[in-house]
Amino acid sequence: MLNADTRQSAVEPSSIPLYVESAAFNGKPPFSLLNGGLWSATGTNSSPFQAPVDLRSLEIHFTALNYAAPGEVRFRHRLDGFDADWVDDAGGRLARYGRLPYGHYRFRVAARNEAGDWQEASEPFAFVVPTPFYRQAWAIGLFVIAAVALVTGIVRLVSHRRLRIALARLEQQQSLERERMRIARDMHDEMGSKLTKISFLSEHAQVEAEATGALAGKIESIAQTSRELLQTMDEIVWAVNPRNDTLENLVAYLGHYSVEYFQNTKIECELRLPQDIPHHPLSSEVRHNLFLTFEEALNNVLKHSSASKVKVETSINVDDCEVKITDNGKGFVVPERQGNIMSRGGRGGNGLRNMHQRLTDIGGVCLVASRLGNGTTVTIRILLNPKASHKP
């Protein structure tokens, strides 16, 4: 008699033949992944399939052979390198992916019957999405080298251009200074000698002429005019000569000029200069405008102040240079300023307006303080540091 064990099923579940059939990239017709197709399984191909660089979509078809109950087969898949876990497809036999990052991938699929265990396909589909050449290490290194070379070339080109411009400006400046030197020398040698001769001859003729009379007066006028022209020419030569384009020469010349200006007058001149004068370049325009303002201030003291004493004081700070002309004269009512224009009224309206304008043109200030019976103080200030602001 044959004994049967009713606790054990009569038929052992058999394995399900499972295959990855085909793949389609970027919506193109699919190609077979079965043996003999365009791509062989991992066991017969040493390198993974090369996907398109511009991968935008991927469809993978898979199937399982179960003729007894095909509707009971369930699937799940996983793309190593992208999916974090298995994806349940139920009865579906298709996996879709969009754009995938560059890298290596392996597509795996598993199936089972209604009551069976999961069985994985023995031949997964391995492929790689290649990195574009411009994202590869050698290309990035080449781009970096090219960028560095380009930047270096641009910097060198700009530097050379700036250097050429600077050299051209320097050459132009030197040429201008040579021309200024020539003009100053010619004026001193030619005009100076002729004016000196005129002054000498006129004074000699005045001695030989009668002490009184129209002729003596005219000769004296010629002599005085020639002396004034000599003084004016000396001022122009000083302003034009590029050797005097320093703060030290400016301060020294102003002190020397103020002492000579009041030498033969009833006004006593007190001069105060700083002991240490830093070497600071000044343009001829700055020196010329400051000197004309300074000269106008001395002229006002001599002609209008009725003063007996005048003090010329120079002080130098880090940011500016200041010259003060203070007299003990009768003083006056300072005209009011309307913007940058000084209104008429009081003495010296035009002169004060010109003084303010000259200092404004060179970025300086001219301050006039005066009261009737208490003298006058004229403060001339120029900036040595262009970034510094005006002091009140």
Side-chain angles (χ1 to χ4, degrees), residues 138-183:
W138 65 268
I140 294 176
L142 183 62
F143 293 155
V144 170
I145 294 175
V148 171
L150 179 61
V151 172
T152 303
I154 293 176
V155 171
R156 186 174 182 180
L157 180 63
V158 173
S159 299
H160 285 184
R161 184 177 180 181
R162 289 181 178 177
L163 181 60
R164 287 195 298 270
I165 294 175
L167 290 176
R169 289 179 179 175
L170 180 60
E171 184 177 355
Q172 183 180 8
Q173 182 180 0
Q174 292 178 347
S175 177
L176 181 61
E177 290 182 355
R178 287 193 296 268
E179 185 65 17
R180 288 171 55 193
M181 183 73 72
R182 185 191 64 81
I183 294 174

Side-chain angles (χ1 to χ4, degrees), residues 317-333:
N317 300 316
V318 177
D319 296 327
D320 56 34
C321 172
E322 187 175 88
V323 180
K324 284 186 178 181
I325 303 99
T326 305
D327 65 65
N328 63 348
K330 59 184 180 180
F332 68 102
V333 178

Side-chain angles (χ1 to χ4, degrees), residues 110 118 151 162 210 267 279 288 309 318 383:
W118 288 105
V151 172
R162 289 181 178 177
E210 296 181 357
I267 300 177
H279 179 78
H288 184 62
K309 291 184 179 181
V318 177
L383 296 179

Side-chain angles (χ1 to χ4, degrees), residues 104-331:
H104 289 75
Y105 300 93
R106 189 174 66 147
F107 181 79
R108 298 156 56 192
V109 63
R112 72 171 183 176
N113 291 322
E114 184 66 24
D117 296 329
W118 288 105
Q119 302 176 32
E120 188 173 343
S122 60
E123 298 178 355
F125 173 44
F127 65 95
V128 59
V129 180
T131 304
F133 76 94
Y134 56 85
R135 296 286 298 271
Q136 297 181 13
W138 65 268
I140 294 176
L142 183 62
F143 293 155
V144 170
I145 294 175
V148 171
L150 179 61
V151 172
T152 303
I154 293 176
V155 171
R156 186 174 182 180
L157 180 63
V158 173
S159 299
H160 285 184
R161 184 177 180 181
R162 289 181 178 177
L163 181 60
R164 287 195 298 270
I165 294 175
L167 290 176
R169 289 179 179 175
L170 180 60
E171 184 177 355
Q172 183 180 8
Q173 182 180 0
Q174 292 178 347
S175 177
L176 181 61
E177 290 182 355
R178 287 193 296 268
E179 185 65 17
R180 288 171 55 193
M181 183 73 72
R182 185 191 64 81
I183 294 174
R185 185 173 56 250
D186 291 347
M187 290 181 63
H188 181 272
D189 295 343
E190 298 294 332
M191 296 182 62
S193 61
K194 290 180 172 59
L195 287 174
T196 302
K197 185 176 181 180
I198 292 173
S199 177
F200 174 78
L201 291 177
S202 59
E203 291 178 358
H204 186 69
Q206 185 180 12
V207 173
E208 294 180 353
E210 296 181 357
T212 59
L215 180 59
K218 292 179 181 179
I219 294 175
E220 173 62 22
S221 178
I222 293 173
Q224 180 63 28
T225 302
S226 62
R227 286 192 292 269
E228 292 177 355
L229 286 175
L230 279 171
Q231 179 64 31
T232 302
M233 189 199 65
D234 180 68
E235 298 169 4
I236 295 174
V237 170
W238 173 81
V240 171
N241 197 332
R243 293 180 179 177
N244 299 322
D245 289 347
T246 61
L247 181 61
E248 183 178 5
N249 285 325
L250 172 65
V251 173
Y253 188 80
L254 294 182
H256 176 74
Y257 182 85
S258 59
V259 171
E260 282 195 347
Y261 193 85
F262 296 105
Q263 188 171 11
N264 297 321
T265 67
K266 297 180 180 180
I267 300 177
E268 179 184 351
C269 180
E270 178 184 354
L271 184 64
R272 293 186 179 181
L273 301 178
Q275 295 182 353
D276 298 326
I277 302 176
H279 179 78
H280 192 282
L282 293 176
S283 67
S284 60
E285 180 184 7
V286 171
R287 292 191 298 108
H288 184 62
N289 282 280
L290 189 146
F291 173 76
L292 291 179
T293 305
F294 180 78
E295 184 182 37
E296 181 68 23
L298 298 186
N299 182 63
N300 289 336
V301 173
L302 183 62
K303 289 185 177 181
H304 306 292
S305 69
S306 300
S308 61
K309 291 184 179 181
V310 61
K311 180 172 68 174
V312 178
E313 183 178 7
T314 302
S315 60
I316 300 174
N317 300 316
V318 177
D319 296 327
D320 56 34
C321 172
E322 187 175 88
V323 180
K324 284 186 178 181
I325 303 99
T326 305
D327 65 65
N328 63 348
K330 59 184 180 180

